[in-house]
Amino acid sequence: MSLGTRATWDQQLFSRSPSSPHSVPKTADGRPLSDYAKKLDQLSRLSVVSNLNEVKDLLSDLTPKTDDDRETVLDKETYLEFFNEILKASIERPGNASYLELATDTCFLLAEYAKIEPTRAPLAQSGLCQRIADLLRIATTHLSSGLAGDDAEDNLKIQCMRVIANLCFENDSNRELFLDAKDVLKHSVECLTCTNPGVLEKTCGALLNVSMENVYLAIAKEPVQQVLTNCNAMKHLVSIVKKTEDPDLRPIYHSSLIPAIAVMSNLVEADPGIARFLEFGGLALIVKLLKTQHETILDLEANEESYEFAFEILDAITTLLETIGENDAVQREIVRENLIGPLLDFVDAPFPKRPDQDEDSSSNYQDIRKTVSRVVTTVTMNDENMADLVENVSIVNRFKSWLNAGFDTKTEVEEDEIRMSGALCLGNLARSDRTCQLLVTEHGVADDLLALMKLEIKRIGDGSADMRSINKVLHAVVGTFKNLSLAVSNRSTLGDRGLVGVCTSVLDMEGLKPLQYGCVGVLKNLCNANFRNTYRTITGLEPPATGIPTPVPKAAKTPLGSLVGLVWKATGDNDTGIRTEGGRAIVQLIRVCSTTQGANVLLKLLIDANVITPLLQIITGATLTRPRQAHEGELAVEDSLHQPADGEEPNEHHVHFDAVSVDGQVFPLVQNEGIVALVLLATANPEIIPRITRFQASLTTAVLKIITSGIVEEKKPDDGTPGSPPQLRFGDSASEDKSKDEYPLPLKMNACILLQTLASGDENFASLVAPKIKPDLLSVLETLQTSAPAPPRPESPLKIQKIHPSGASSMATSSSVEASAAAPPVTVPFPLLSASGGKGGSSSPGLARSGTKSAKPLLRAASDGAPSQRELQTTMGSGTVLSLDADDGSGDEGGLVQAVQKVLLLL
């Protein structure tokens, strides 16, 4: 019986008649009763005590044969009242064998009635729940006393469990009624200690239906799964599974195996259930069972019954393993106890063809195999496992082999999830600088991942109809490259392998926005503090061995052009993620060129590519650009971006110079990156300052908000006319409220430096914005000087690390900025997971992990573009005046006072 569907678990012993249309409800209007109704009516007129034998005879003849018969029990209230009277009389005479038998027959009949949905609620609401609990107490008395029970008691247990299972089948209200009955769970769990296989099977079925939903038990103030765990249910369930290891006992208890595993799957949904599962050795037992059942599937001589039963057991096992797979303790035990081998073997083994096989068997095997691959993926998410597994050459090679699954056998679509799992496993191992370096230098995973990425892209080019299959594999590969490229030592190797060009080819495709977001992130990482990849991205050519040629050669189509074109299009689509990530990638290009000796010629290529507007967008949050559609006789977007008319902003008629910021589209740390890049660009090429200041309406609004945040607050008097902003003490309760002051001091100082740079390079800008911003800046200055007077701070020359293209470095000084390309090693986990979903709204199948039970955040595929902690640690440096990390803790109020004073002097 498949675990995917809850069922009345007594169907194997008591077959259910085929459904027939429900009969019209009976009335007292004189219509003749059915033969079944006549028997039921006759029974209800008897006295249980006075007519005991007659009652027993009639009960034996009342087994319903149709659904109409079952629904007849609802025709009169007296029917249900009579059954309650039978159970009451039996409970009052616990030592009387005749009444014990009568109660057993009655429970059998009630379980039969409960096989259809219309009867379940009325039966449970008639008071039966507590009666069943009391009968279980009587039937399990010998168990609590350590005595052996007899057949009569076991039969009563079986019928009580049938009633519970059928009444609770897909009925939350009935579950709650049963759980409110005194000690019903306690006595049900006691039935798991019985040696009668029928009792074990029916008890597991009842507990499965009772615990199927996370019903809150009001009496115990705990979910039902936890209550069952506290009653020691997990220990007894593990014991049932262990019984099947014995070849002599296996035929006796095999019918209890699947429902026992199913109940385990329910109990481990609560953390205490997982703890008990591990405590009693459940994990090793289940993996061992998976291995033996897999061997049965692979054995072409296995008999049909064993073969089919193995599929059902594997279905139950994989459901359990996937439920607990994201628990850290489970992940760790799988590796520590060497349990990962059978899981890897299962994924590696193709479906064995049998002479009598059908398509369903093949499909079932593939589904189970994919589930096992997802379980392995979760195992690699554990931090300790990451460190251990990356040292195991055999295991890493198996992950690499999965990347090619399906291509040799022309089953690319069927094997897509195996390829995805291989990439995800490697990506999960790539969550520290050390493991990233080992994967690339020792294991050589870059070549295998690139080969897969090219094959999947080729499938797109060949017109493959199954884009879902391609997308989920590519998402996993790109996510892995994003992790690998965070390690500084890997960037040159990945660039030399051709990753820049492969990622660029994705940027030029249609309908792949989430994937393009990931590729932009990879390019951003590759270019961070890496001249060779920066040169490749800007020019589309391989970097020279020595020096930078002048003029710089450039391919007809460049990665930079594709990147800017994508940002342009993303702006039109209002795609904040790509727009933000694209702007951050451009920041890295500018930072490398600004700190590399002789690279100003590359900065000019960036300027010609119109990178100013994307930078302004990540600072202001305003949508300043619109995509341009090339008409006949016009240049394509990329060419038009590179060839502005004299004195004209490229694509000027497609630029909004006064667009307003859109809520939720700016991030302070990203704004700081954009500000730093603009200052670097304008300092090296002052002639572009007028091209920046043309956006003064949007830019000054954003910059002024950064500077004044938490220091002054705009307020209108009661008459509604604008008033002077009130002064707030810097650092008091108002500014300590993060919602009011989200901008740290270094970012405020950088914003002032940007205003200084623009005002000193464009007198028109200074005179135009002075009336708008001077009042607020004066208020900032007054507040700062009042709250925290500081002595003048001597100016320090700013140091820029100049990097020769050859790799040598020299020191130079500048009075504008300080930048550092060094990136400290980090070990912040950034795990990957497979598709199954989760919360968080990620549109990337297979690359999102939410805060739910099925998820840690994996990679930021198709997100809002906010930087991750590891990215910030890797990409940011710090400076004494221009801080590359807006939240590095540098700066003080005295420094901000000086910065504001300099701006005011220029205005």
Side-chain angles (χ1 to χ4, degrees), residues 74-135:
L74 304 180
D75 286 355
K76 294 182 180 181
E77 292 183 4
T78 55
Y79 297 163
L80 293 180
E81 291 173 357
F82 184 76
F83 289 128
N84 263 293
E85 285 298 319
I86 295 177
L87 299 183
K88 180 182 177 183
S90 301
I91 293 167
E92 292 172 349
R93 298 165 177 79
N96 190 308
S98 295
Y99 279 93
L100 186 66
E101 182 182 356
L102 182 64
T104 302
D105 292 342
T106 302
C107 287
F108 165 76
L109 199 57
L110 293 172
E112 289 295 308
Y113 291 144
K115 283 184 174 180
I116 61 173
E117 190 277 332
T119 63
R120 290 176 188 143
L123 284 169
Q125 292 166 8
S126 69
L128 286 177
C129 298
Q130 187 59 58
R131 304 282 192 218
I132 298 297
D134 292 338
L135 287 172

XYZ file of all heavy atoms in Angstrom, residues 74-135:
489
model
N -27.325 5.566 10.450
C -27.650 6.953 10.779
C -29.149 7.226 10.727
O -29.586 8.332 11.055
C -26.928 7.907 9.808
C -25.405 7.777 9.709
C -24.857 8.796 8.721
C -24.767 7.958 11.082
N -29.956 6.222 10.310
C -31.387 6.471 10.118
C -32.092 6.838 11.425
O -32.994 7.668 11.439
C -32.067 5.230 9.511
C -31.715 5.083 8.031
O -31.033 5.993 7.504
O -32.100 4.075 7.427
N -31.673 6.216 12.498
C -32.323 6.482 13.781
C -31.260 6.672 14.854
O -30.264 5.941 14.901
C -33.248 5.327 14.182
C -34.452 5.127 13.277
C -35.332 3.983 13.807
C -36.549 3.764 12.923
N -37.414 2.672 13.449
N -31.478 7.640 15.735
C -30.547 7.856 16.832
C -30.468 6.636 17.740
O -29.439 6.385 18.378
C -30.972 9.071 17.653
C -30.846 10.397 16.916
C -31.214 11.577 17.793
O -31.485 11.347 18.996
O -31.232 12.691 17.276
N -31.519 5.880 17.796
C -31.546 4.727 18.705
C -30.519 3.673 18.317
O -30.071 2.912 19.178
C -32.947 4.086 18.711
O -33.330 3.759 17.357
C -33.962 5.034 19.311
N -30.126 3.631 17.035
C -29.142 2.640 16.620
C -27.800 2.905 17.305
O -27.188 2.008 17.903
C -28.957 2.653 15.104
C -30.200 2.291 14.307
C -30.308 2.594 12.954
C -31.263 1.626 14.910
C -31.427 2.258 12.219
C -32.411 1.292 14.191
C -32.481 1.614 12.842
O -33.601 1.286 12.129
N -27.336 4.152 17.196
C -26.050 4.495 17.802
C -26.122 4.422 19.325
O -25.159 4.029 19.990
C -25.605 5.888 17.354
C -25.248 6.035 15.864
C -24.816 7.460 15.555
C -24.144 5.061 15.483
N -27.282 4.788 19.865
C -27.445 4.698 21.320
C -27.328 3.249 21.785
O -26.741 2.962 22.838
C -28.799 5.279 21.726
C -28.894 6.795 21.539
C -30.296 7.313 21.796
O -31.187 6.473 22.055
O -30.499 8.540 21.719
N -27.866 2.332 21.001
C -27.814 0.929 21.376
C -26.366 0.408 21.361
O -25.958 -0.353 22.260
C -28.684 0.093 20.419
C -28.760 -1.355 20.792
C -29.556 -1.769 21.853
C -28.027 -2.306 20.105
C -29.617 -3.114 22.209
C -28.086 -3.632 20.462
C -28.891 -4.051 21.519
N -25.614 0.789 20.341
C -24.216 0.351 20.284
C -23.424 0.903 21.468
O -22.555 0.216 22.019
C -23.567 0.785 18.964
C -24.074 0.018 17.772
C -24.544 0.671 16.642
C -24.085 -1.364 17.787
C -25.003 -0.036 15.553
C -24.555 -2.085 16.689
C -25.021 -1.420 15.576
N -23.716 2.126 21.856
C -23.057 2.692 23.033
C -23.412 1.911 24.289
O -22.582 1.708 25.178
C -23.452 4.166 23.198
C -22.425 5.115 22.604
O -21.305 5.210 23.101
N -22.804 5.802 21.536
N -24.673 1.457 24.359
C -25.096 0.670 25.514
C -24.353 -0.669 25.578
O -23.973 -1.139 26.654
C -26.612 0.419 25.451
C -27.462 1.633 25.798
C -27.219 2.115 27.223
O -27.091 1.260 28.135
O -27.119 3.339 27.415
N -24.129 -1.268 24.417
C -23.374 -2.524 24.392
C -21.962 -2.305 24.944
O -21.480 -3.074 25.790
C -23.302 -3.093 22.960
C -24.695 -3.494 22.467
C -22.346 -4.288 22.902
C -24.709 -3.995 21.027
N -21.286 -1.247 24.454
C -19.922 -0.985 24.898
C -19.882 -0.638 26.375
O -18.964 -1.063 27.107
C -19.313 0.145 24.055
C -19.189 -0.114 22.547
C -18.500 1.051 21.861
C -18.455 -1.419 22.270
N -20.868 0.129 26.833
C -20.922 0.484 28.257
C -21.061 -0.757 29.129
O -20.353 -0.902 30.150
C -22.088 1.443 28.500
C -22.228 1.874 29.950
C -23.432 2.783 30.133
C -23.610 3.153 31.605
N -24.822 3.987 31.823
N -21.948 -1.636 28.724
C -22.155 -2.861 29.499
C -20.894 -3.711 29.523
O -20.555 -4.329 30.545
C -23.319 -3.650 28.909
N -20.172 -3.746 28.417
C -18.931 -4.532 28.356
C -17.856 -3.926 29.243
O -17.098 -4.638 29.904
C -18.447 -4.619 26.912
O -19.430 -5.210 26.086
N -17.770 -2.589 29.258
C -16.765 -1.908 30.075
C -17.038 -2.138 31.556
O -16.109 -2.283 32.360
C -16.743 -0.403 29.736
C -16.237 -0.194 28.301
C -15.890 0.378 30.729
C -16.460 1.206 27.758
N -18.314 -2.223 31.908
C -18.681 -2.420 33.314
C -18.442 -3.850 33.770
O -18.511 -4.145 34.970
C -20.156 -2.049 33.510
C -20.417 -0.552 33.347
C -21.896 -0.226 33.346
O -22.711 -1.188 33.256
O -22.255 0.961 33.436
N -18.158 -4.776 32.827
C -17.940 -6.186 33.163
C -16.623 -6.650 32.532
O -16.590 -7.525 31.655
C -19.105 -7.034 32.658
C -20.452 -6.670 33.290
C -21.611 -7.268 32.516
N -22.895 -6.993 33.138
C -23.543 -5.818 33.035
N -23.014 -4.815 32.324
N -24.710 -5.661 33.639
N -15.496 -6.061 32.948
C -14.219 -6.335 32.269
C -13.752 -7.778 32.335
O -12.989 -8.215 31.483
C -13.241 -5.407 33.011
C -13.864 -5.165 34.346
C -15.340 -5.151 34.095
N -14.177 -8.514 33.314
C -13.720 -9.897 33.429
C -14.636 -10.906 32.795
O -14.372 -12.119 32.858
N -15.720 -10.468 32.160
C -16.709 -11.370 31.590
C -16.364 -11.652 30.126
O -16.376 -10.752 29.286
C -18.096 -10.746 31.695
C -19.195 -11.707 31.341
O -19.180 -12.334 30.290
N -20.182 -11.816 32.232
N -16.047 -12.905 29.825
C -15.621 -13.273 28.471
C -16.715 -13.037 27.438
O -16.439 -12.658 26.295
C -15.182 -14.735 28.450
N -17.977 -13.262 27.821
C -19.071 -13.059 26.859
C -19.188 -11.591 26.453
O -19.390 -11.260 25.273
C -20.390 -13.548 27.466
O -20.369 -14.935 27.680
N -19.084 -10.726 27.435
C -19.179 -9.294 27.116
C -17.925 -8.808 26.374
O -17.999 -7.892 25.547
C -19.400 -8.486 28.400
C -20.833 -8.492 28.853
C -21.292 -9.440 29.764
C -21.749 -7.585 28.330
C -22.615 -9.471 30.165
C -23.083 -7.599 28.725
C -23.514 -8.546 29.644
O -24.834 -8.567 30.031
N -16.781 -9.407 26.651
C -15.562 -9.060 25.903
C -15.739 -9.411 24.432
O -15.405 -8.633 23.538
C -14.368 -9.815 26.493
C -12.992 -9.459 25.917
C -12.604 -8.043 26.258
C -11.944 -10.439 26.456
N -16.326 -10.589 24.189
C -16.593 -10.989 22.808
C -17.642 -10.082 22.167
O -17.537 -9.725 20.989
C -17.058 -12.445 22.789
C -17.313 -12.976 21.392
C -17.818 -14.405 21.392
O -17.898 -15.011 22.493
O -18.142 -14.913 20.307
N -18.678 -9.703 22.955
C -19.716 -8.820 22.447
C -19.124 -7.462 22.059
O -19.465 -6.896 21.011
C -20.807 -8.644 23.501
C -22.011 -7.776 23.108
C -22.782 -8.434 21.958
C -22.930 -7.566 24.308
N -18.226 -6.923 22.893
C -17.587 -5.644 22.586
C -16.740 -5.747 21.319
O -16.724 -4.831 20.483
C -16.721 -5.200 23.762
N -16.061 -6.882 21.155
C -15.230 -7.086 19.957
C -16.091 -7.088 18.701
O -15.762 -6.434 17.698
C -14.450 -8.412 20.078
O -13.636 -8.380 21.253
C -13.571 -8.633 18.857
N -17.229 -7.816 18.750
C -18.121 -7.865 17.586
C -18.710 -6.486 17.279
O -18.879 -6.108 16.106
C -19.253 -8.864 17.836
C -18.758 -10.309 17.901
O -17.622 -10.559 17.427
O -19.484 -11.163 18.439
N -19.028 -5.753 18.326
C -19.598 -4.418 18.123
C -18.578 -3.490 17.491
O -18.894 -2.712 16.582
C -20.084 -3.840 19.468
O -21.044 -4.727 20.045
C -20.713 -2.471 19.276
N -17.329 -3.537 17.989
C -16.284 -2.678 17.416
C -16.015 -3.043 15.958
O -15.764 -2.170 15.121
C -15.007 -2.801 18.237
S -15.092 -1.979 19.842
N -16.077 -4.330 15.641
C -15.925 -4.727 14.242
C -16.989 -4.065 13.377
O -16.712 -3.538 12.299
C -16.013 -6.248 14.125
C -16.217 -6.732 12.720
C -15.176 -6.742 11.815
C -17.480 -7.142 12.285
C -15.375 -7.165 10.502
C -17.685 -7.565 10.985
C -16.624 -7.577 10.089
N -18.227 -4.104 13.870
C -19.337 -3.519 13.121
C -19.165 -2.007 12.977
O -19.388 -1.437 11.896
C -20.653 -3.845 13.823
C -21.936 -3.723 12.992
C -21.875 -4.601 11.759
C -23.144 -4.083 13.854
N -18.755 -1.333 14.051
C -18.550 0.123 14.002
C -17.427 0.491 13.028
O -17.513 1.492 12.314
C -18.228 0.642 15.406
C -19.368 0.555 16.423
C -18.860 0.928 17.813
C -20.539 1.463 16.024
N -16.362 -0.324 12.989
C -15.276 -0.072 12.043
C -15.754 -0.215 10.609
O -15.328 0.528 9.711
C -14.110 -1.018 12.314
N -16.666 -1.179 10.388
C -17.226 -1.332 9.043
C -18.066 -0.118 8.657
O -17.999 0.369 7.531
C -18.080 -2.608 8.990
C -17.288 -3.887 9.048
C -16.404 -4.053 7.827
O -16.908 -3.945 6.685
O -15.194 -4.275 8.006
N -18.875 0.366 9.604
C -19.680 1.551 9.317
C -18.785 2.759 8.994
O -19.135 3.610 8.167
C -20.569 1.895 10.519
C -21.679 0.915 10.784
C -22.071 0.612 12.090
C -22.353 0.283 9.740
C -23.094 -0.285 12.347
C -23.370 -0.618 9.981
C -23.735 -0.909 11.289
O -24.747 -1.798 11.531
N -17.635 2.850 9.643
C -16.753 4.028 9.500
C -15.930 4.010 8.223
O -15.098 4.893 8.016
C -15.815 4.122 10.707
N -16.158 3.045 7.370
C -15.419 2.999 6.112
C -15.876 4.053 5.118
O -15.202 4.298 4.125
C -15.563 1.611 5.468
C -14.687 0.549 6.129
C -14.805 -0.773 5.378
C -13.830 -1.803 5.930
N -13.923 -3.086 5.207
N -17.006 4.671 5.332
C -17.478 5.717 4.412
C -17.505 7.056 5.150
O -17.726 7.122 6.363
C -18.868 5.379 3.828
C -19.908 5.257 4.928
C -18.798 4.117 2.978
C -21.320 5.085 4.394
N -17.302 8.103 4.411
C -17.167 9.434 5.009
C -18.418 9.926 5.734
O -18.319 10.500 6.834
C -16.734 10.432 3.925
C -16.330 11.800 4.423
C -17.521 12.711 4.642
O -18.541 12.513 3.945
O -17.428 13.603 5.517
N -19.657 9.727 5.206
C -20.827 10.307 5.867
C -21.064 9.798 7.287
O -21.674 10.494 8.107
C -21.993 9.901 4.942
C -21.360 9.666 3.605
C -20.023 9.094 3.910
N -20.574 8.605 7.609
C -20.863 8.043 8.929
C -19.835 8.440 9.993
O -20.095 8.282 11.188
C -20.890 6.508 8.857
O -19.594 6.031 8.491
C -21.917 6.025 7.846
N -18.664 8.940 9.571
C -17.552 9.099 10.524
C -17.850 10.127 11.606
O -17.666 9.870 12.802
C -16.272 9.453 9.773
C -15.743 8.286 8.956
C -14.535 8.651 8.128
N -14.219 7.528 7.225
C -13.779 7.661 5.996
N -13.595 8.884 5.494
N -13.524 6.610 5.248
N -18.278 11.306 11.212
C -18.528 12.347 12.213
C -19.657 11.956 13.170
O -19.502 12.077 14.393
C -18.825 13.674 11.525
N -20.812 11.478 12.667
C -21.881 11.087 13.612
C -21.444 9.986 14.575
O -21.797 10.014 15.758
C -23.011 10.604 12.697
C -22.772 11.304 11.390
C -21.291 11.396 11.259
N -20.680 9.015 14.103
C -20.220 7.946 14.982
C -19.333 8.492 16.097
O -19.500 8.155 17.272
C -19.457 6.892 14.179
C -20.302 5.935 13.324
C -19.416 5.133 12.387
C -21.117 4.992 14.213
N -18.363 9.348 15.728
C -17.440 9.890 16.730
C -18.160 10.795 17.719
O -17.828 10.830 18.906
C -16.305 10.644 16.034
N -19.165 11.526 17.234
C -19.871 12.476 18.098
C -20.906 11.799 19.010
O -21.494 12.461 19.859
C -20.556 13.528 17.228
C -19.576 14.440 16.508
C -20.224 15.239 15.393
O -21.444 15.226 15.244
N -19.408 15.930 14.604
N -21.093 10.502 18.819
C -22.104 9.802 19.617
C -21.572 9.350 20.977
O -22.313 8.717 21.735
C -22.628 8.588 18.837
O -21.618 7.601 18.729
N -20.296 9.644 21.252
C -19.719 9.240 22.528
C -18.865 7.995 22.438
O -18.431 7.457 23.464
N -18.613 7.518 21.219
C -17.853 6.283 21.050
C -16.386 6.427 21.449
O -15.749 5.448 21.857
C -17.914 5.819 19.590
C -19.232 5.197 19.115
C -19.138 4.868 17.637
C -19.537 3.940 19.918
N -15.815 7.635 21.314
C -14.365 7.804 21.474
C -13.903 7.371 22.865
O -12.934 6.613 23.006
C -13.974 9.249 21.199
S -14.339 9.780 19.510
N -14.579 7.849 23.904
C -14.162 7.478 25.249
C -14.452 6.005 25.516
O -13.710 5.340 26.243
C -14.865 8.348 26.290
C -14.366 8.138 27.723
C -12.879 8.416 27.854
O -12.401 9.507 27.558
N -12.122 7.410 28.315
N -15.518 5.467 24.921
C -15.818 4.047 25.089
C -14.665 3.193 24.521
O -14.239 2.210 25.139
C -17.102 3.683 24.361
C -18.319 4.475 24.741
C -18.917 4.015 26.040
N -20.227 4.591 26.253
C -20.684 4.996 27.434
N -19.916 4.873 28.518
N -21.895 5.504 27.551
N -14.151 3.588 23.337
C -13.050 2.841 22.729
C -11.801 2.937 23.599
O -11.071 1.950 23.787
C -12.765 3.361 21.306
C -13.992 3.170 20.400
C -11.539 2.685 20.712
C -14.389 1.727 20.196
N -11.540 4.124 24.143
C -10.383 4.293 25.024
C -10.496 3.396 26.252
O -9.499 2.782 26.687
C -10.255 5.762 25.437
N -11.698 3.292 26.819
C -11.898 2.440 27.992
C -11.719 0.959 27.640
O -11.172 0.179 28.433
C -13.290 2.676 28.581
C -13.420 4.069 29.194
O -12.375 4.672 29.548
O -14.568 4.565 29.316
N -12.200 0.559 26.461
C -12.010 -0.826 26.044
C -10.526 -1.140 25.827
O -10.066 -2.250 26.155
C -12.794 -1.089 24.754
C -14.319 -1.181 24.895
C -14.977 -1.257 23.531
C -14.710 -2.395 25.750
